[in-house]
């Protein structure tokens, strides 16, 4: 069992990440939390901020009641702030916001207004993923990871097509015209930046009608909404961005069908079945097998979105394509080959070193 308490080494990890965020003495740091936040992260953040001569200010709101038919996981779209004006106003005046909400504010409707700043201050926001501190410590970011992610984002922005294939049977064609490209390396040091820790991936939100083919989830691939390694093979047929068939006889496939159906029933649309984002992991410190070492309550699975060489296929909300839904699956796949305009970024699950892409 892992205890959740202040440990010197975890405080050191938080300090290191705050240094990478360019936190300066005298800065005011808004630590935004909700009643279901992992308290040890809030305490570590608070102490690390103070250790660097800056001032932490905590804003804690109650975790709102669930008003949907199924638990919401891994969306990065927390509804904790409930459009509360005083909270938005306070956070928009902090140099740095440390986001300790359960789901994270990455896609929260209040985020643009927070990042717009006020009184001459433009905040940056670091979402501290809801993980046990040991996970954050192991996945500590560094400047090398930033340059790796930035370079991958440049190549992704410059590409027109992503092709994904695997021996298991995946064969996807993804058009990138009009896609929005993002990337995260685990810290933010410029006004207006948003990051999450752990980081280390690049991704694209494709425009409407850009994705088709077959996505094959093989045993050992991961469903991060359920925080499980798949035991069975699942074949998803994708037409016009949407999964139109989930083929497979095991419990894994059944559970996916059931969760998708909950959102389709609730929302009266097929938006939950459509692609949200596609990308690949770049963090060599992040581990595919990490879920085996932690209880489900100890982790949020962000590490598995980032492990080097995974192909991350996600369904759910995609603003670029004009689709909104609360259903979200993040599905890291192993052993895929990911190519941009025919040039491999990932070769059978292994990151291709920059310059060796041929
Ligand atoms: Fe996602």
């Amino acid at each position: 069992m892992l205890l959740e308490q202040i440990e010197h080494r975890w405080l050191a990890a938080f300090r290191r990440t705050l240094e990478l965020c360019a936190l300066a003495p005298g800065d005011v740091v808004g630590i935004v939390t909700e009643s279901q936040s992992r308290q040890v992260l809030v305490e570590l953040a608070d102490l690390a901020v103070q250790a660097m001569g800056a001032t932490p200010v905590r804003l804690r709101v109650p975790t709102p009641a669930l008003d949907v038919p199924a638990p919401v996981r891994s969306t990065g779209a927390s509804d904790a702030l409930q459009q509360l004006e005083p909270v938005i106003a306070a956070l928009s005046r902090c140099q740095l916001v440390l986001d300790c909400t359960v789901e994270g504010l990455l896609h929260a409707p209040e985020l643009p207004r927070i990042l717009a700043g006020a009184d001459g201050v433009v905040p940056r926001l670091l979402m501290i993923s809801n993980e046990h501190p040991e996970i954050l410590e192991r996945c500590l970011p560094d400047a090398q990871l930033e340059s790796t992610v930035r370079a991958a984002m440049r190549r992704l922005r410059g590409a027109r097509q992503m092709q994904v294939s695997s021996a298991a049977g995946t064969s996807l064609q993804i058009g990138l015209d009009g896609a929005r490209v993002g990337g995260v390396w685990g810290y933010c040091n410029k006004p207006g930046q948003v990051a999450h820790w752990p980081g280390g991936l690049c991704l694209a939100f494709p425009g409407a009608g850009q994705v088709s083919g077959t996505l094959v989830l093989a045993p050992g691939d991961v469903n991060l909404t359920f925080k499980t390694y798949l035991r069975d093979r699942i074949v998803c047929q994708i037409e016009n961005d949407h999964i139109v068939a989930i083929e497979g006889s095991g419990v894994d496939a059944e559970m996916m069908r059931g969760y998708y159906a909950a959102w389709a029933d609730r929302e009266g649309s097929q938006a939950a079945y459509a692609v949200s984002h596609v990308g690949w992991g770049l963090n060599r410190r992040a581990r595919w097998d990490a879920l085996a070492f932690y209880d489900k309550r100890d982790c949020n699975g962000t590490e598995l979105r980032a492990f080097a060489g995974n192909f991350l296929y996600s369904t759910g909300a995609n603003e670029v394509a004009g689709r909104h839904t609360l259903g979200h699956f993040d599905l890291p796949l192993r052993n895929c080959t990911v190519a941009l305009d025919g040039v491999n970024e990932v070769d059978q699950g292994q990151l291709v070193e920059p310059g060796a892409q041929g």
Side-chain angles (χ1 to χ4, degrees), residues 174-217:
I174 301 166
L176 295 171
D177 285 344
R180 191 172 76 215
V181 169
V184 179
W185 45 86
Y187 59 89
C188 50
N189 55 16
K190 298 201 169 55
Q193 271 186 348
V194 175
H196 54 73
W197 175 27
L201 69 158
C202 66
L203 50 81
F205 291 85
Q210 296 294 315
V211 182
S212 62
T214 305
L215 179 77
V216 178
L217 303 170

Side-chain angles (χ1 to χ4, degrees), residues 74 277 314 328 330:
S74 81
H277 51 87
S314 300
H328 193 86
D330 278 329

Side-chain angles (χ1 to χ4, degrees), residues 50-127:
Q50 292 189 63
M52 294 180 67
T55 303
V57 178
R58 295 191 198 187
L59 291 110
R60 181 182 186 269
V61 296
T63 297
L66 198 65
D67 63 354
V68 287
V72 176
R73 292 286 182 274
S74 81
T75 60
S78 171
D79 61 351
L81 297 191
Q82 298 280 302
Q83 301 285 356
L84 288 165
E85 289 298 329
V87 177
I88 296 167
L91 294 176
S92 69
R93 288 166 169 80
C94 298
Q95 276 86 12
L96 175 66
V97 175
L98 294 178
D99 172 10
C100 293
T101 62
V102 174
E103 268 294 307
L105 297 169
L106 304 177
H107 304 293
E110 299 88 353
L111 184 62
R113 291 177 55 214
I114 293 170
L115 294 180
D119 300 340
V121 174
V122 176
R124 51 202 188 276
L125 181 139
L126 178 67
M127 171 195 163

